[in-house]
Amino acid sequence: MPDKSSVKKPKRQKTPSAFTENFKKVLRDRGLTIQVAANLLELPHSTVSDWCAGANPSNIEAIGRFCKKLGIQFDWLMLGEAGLSFTNPGE
């Protein structure tokens, strides 16, 4: 097991990325806590918390699972691509 002091956390951006803003919007609009999102993503709470704080995800497979489970377009979540939007099925 690697020494924890040698494991580097992802750098947080000073300006929130499209991913950070969109991810937080999904959590807010769906009423999901960080812990519930972590469970859906099958990731530690700390990883999801880091994403909400501005870290970029490195586990694309987990993001894909999250999008599939919630019916979210991957491109929109990651990049905020023009023409793509978040649709809340409850609306």
Side-chain angles (χ1 to χ4, degrees):
M1 188 159 135
D3 177 18
K4 288 189 178 194
S5 64
S6 66
V7 177
K8 293 183 181 178
K9 289 194 119 188
K11 290 185 179 180
R12 294 183 180 152
Q13 297 181 0
K14 292 183 182 181
T15 305
S17 66
F19 168 78
T20 298
E21 293 300 315
N22 292 339
F23 186 73
K24 291 192 313 188
K25 176 177 176 39
V26 170
L27 296 186
R28 185 176 56 251
D29 291 354
R30 298 283 177 99
L32 301 175
T33 64
I34 291 174
Q35 187 60 57
V36 170
N39 292 343
L40 285 170
L41 287 157
E42 301 170 22
L43 293 173
H45 178 278
S46 60
T47 299
V48 178
S49 180
D50 286 346
W51 292 350
C52 289
N56 286 318
S58 60
N59 189 332
I60 299 303
E61 291 83 11
I63 297 297
R65 284 192 305 269
F66 184 74
C67 289
K68 190 172 186 174
K69 288 177 182 179
L70 295 180
I72 299 166
Q73 292 182 354
F74 181 85
D75 291 347
W76 173 81
L77 181 63
M78 294 301 294
L79 306 171
E81 290 290 314
L84 299 178
S85 62
F86 165 66
T87 304
N88 190 344
E91 292 180 350

